[in-house]
Amino acid sequence: MPTASSDPVDKLDDAVAPRAQEPVGDPARDGARDPARADPRAVVRGPGYRFTVLTSRLIRMERSEDGVFIDAPTQLVRSRRFDVPQITVAESEDGIDIWTEHLHVRYDRGPFTAAGLSVSMRTRAQSTHRTRWSYGDPARHGDGRPSNLGGTARTLDDVDGAIELEPGLLSVHGFAVVDDSRSLLLTDDGWVAPRPPGAGQDLYFFGYGRDYQDALRDFFALTGPSPLLPRWALGNWWSRFHRYTADEFLALMDRFRAAGIPFSVAVLDMDWHLVDIDPALGSGWTGYTWDRGLFPDPAAFLAELHARNLRVTLNVHPADGVRRHEAAYPDMARELGLDPESGLEIAFDISSREFVEAYLRHLHHPHEEIGVDFWWIDWQSGTSARVPGLDPLWMLNHVHHRDSGRDGRRPITFSRYAGLGSHRYPVGFSGDTVVTWDSLDFQPYFTATASNVGYFWWSHDIGGHLGGVKDDELATRWFQLGVFSPINRLHSTASPFNSKEPWRFGLQAEQVMTRFLRLRHQLVPYLYSAMWAAHTDGVAPIRPMYHDHPWAPEAYESPNQYMFGPDLLVAPITTPADRATHLGRVDAWLPEGAWYDVFTGRRYDGGRRVELHRTLEQMPVLARAGAVLPLAADPMADTGTRPEALVLRILPGANGRTVLVEDDGQGDPRPEDRQLTTFTLRWSEHGPDADGVVRADAVLAIEPPVGPGAGIARTLTLDVVGVDEVRRVGVGGRTLTVADVGLVTDAAHSTIPEARRGDGPAAGQGVLRVRLGTLDLADGVEVHLEGLRHRGPDVHGDVFRLLDEAEIAFDTKSLVMELVERMSGAALVASLHGLDLPGNLYGAILEVVAAAR
């Protein structure tokens, strides 16, 4: 008969004697000394096997015929020190059983086989049954599709459309298995070492059901958190494969500023260094020496970029080593024991400590000393190294990220994905995609799904890199996606015809691109707060809908739709517009609740599927009712510093709470170093007044900022969406004057001080603007908005605008308008359906009619 215990300590006495080999000490002291070693009380061990119950849903399973087990950190795993969950262990002649609250492990004590090792979910992940995994089982749906929800891929180089993704940590069947058997060990000084002889299989079973957020949170606890990037990394990046001169590049940056187009990062592709070299030395792809014909004074050039509030990254392809034409060659050669006069090539060897130390000291640090902020580690590093099992790309990312954080700086690299655990080394470079609609259509899914392995900070070549044709609509839609992507980096290949300056496109495209690039810089406070949530709680800034709604079938059926931060739902248009209506279309799913389009102000009731139709000027981005979006007031300001002036964009119709998270921008701050400002919206609606108008009152409570160095004084403006009148605005006991309150109804008006055509809300939107001025927030402030009047739907006006833009028969336009003017509801929908309208016009009109009040 099996024996059993439910106490996490007594379980050791109920198993076989060899478990006594696991020393039992002071868990708190041992964990502080060696966080990679699991609490001994969580270990179930016997001849040739070891199971470690890290959480009730995360179990490490090891098999070694020689009894060699790993307690050191690995390339993937950094900490196995978790609170010990409740565990029950039972033994019989057939093997052992381990129960936790959520899992049941059965194991026959032999080599891992499908018959001998299984894990059953004790709580259901499917709607109809519980799930059991057997060793080696890929777990598939009944129709043969894999249940794993996917992860990401190493590169999108030369990709035109969709590719297969590596497995992720989340599954509709509720489990995933990560094999860490081949990863190298990490030494105390951050180097790598092979696993000892005899080390065998090393698996981690994630059995989280549909609790996707918990799975990611524990993954980060196991492997290390998603890091904090510098604030400026969240602004726009300018990048182009082009032989710029210093004067040409600076003139371009000045032209961008004169046009009101903000950038925060200047990317210099490979032509910053010598590329036309003696063919006897090989190609010019690898280089570390400035081309003085293009950049006569690199230090002065970098200083000029910094004076423009730009941070700088240089592209390097390190695989060809260091050759005799490099300025640093003599120092490198002497340090590595070569005669500089020999001219012998110094091979790239990322597995050599001596090479890496010289590589950083002589090839990188001197450039950083004159102003290079971080490095773009590009391709050509291969897939093998002298240390068996070492991926040079992973090692490059690891080395550069550690080195970039020296002297108290905030670490950042820009490189490619190198497998699970790469989330610790952002930013990711996805590669050279093809300029096509198919490439654009794949990127939203690819970006959001990467969150299933915790890889949050992808940077794509926005607009595409190579091939394709010039297409203003395609480029504009790609710009819009870039603004609502983790990192927004414009890029193109060396073709003189393929570059991404907005003025190279038609006037309409230029205006839309400019407006969206400005919006990106306004969004930095919102996105930086989301970055902190990723760092502390493992919540992906860009995530598939099923992360928040794991039991809603519709959440899995909208692959290109995602949440952007806590409150914005993005459904990018990634296919060409209808030729008749000039409207792009996307099918979307809205969760329960009310949602407002942040560009049109139109309100939608959730809990349903919708077809969203937009002109080129607009993109489907919906905010949940009750949200308060903190936006930077001035998009041209330095994104590396905390903005003192904010626009708080308020979405009406519900209560809400928003926390703005900031810090001092230095080093690697702890959670207690955060600066928090909380905005709480209380919304109440009243019945129709004497004029039949439904009104509402709102109170925006701004709590005193907390945290070291939190700003007390702040210049604030409120933009209340979908509202066209207020009877009274009170702030701290005083009533604002008429001059402080206005209505924005035209696109020529801006949400920022220096208005430029195309900024702010779309024409006819209706945004109530309240200028609060500079407030002292030391004791908190309440803003009372009394007698707010909702701007009702303008069905006639919206339909007229659709018809006016459509290239269809005038008689058809007149007929449709006549029906809209004299009918409503189901009768109108049926009558319109009978007209067999061209293109997507019927769907666009139906969207207007079906939208909520």
Side-chain angles (χ1 to χ4, degrees), residues 769-797:
R769 172 156 306 146
V770 181
R771 298 175 180 84
L772 301 178
T774 301
L775 301 179
D776 183 347
L777 304 180
D779 298 319
V781 172
E782 282 195 352
V783 182
H784 293 259
L785 305 168
E786 300 173 3
L788 295 165
R789 183 176 71 182
H790 284 287
R791 179 181 64 86
D794 182 14
V795 175
H796 291 186

Side-chain angles (χ1 to χ4, degrees), residues 658-670:
T658 298
V659 180
L660 174 66
V661 187
E662 300 167 302
D663 57 60
D664 63 6
Q666 302 302 310
D668 192 9
R670 302 161 300 173

Side-chain angles (χ1 to χ4, degrees), residues 289 371 382:
T289 305

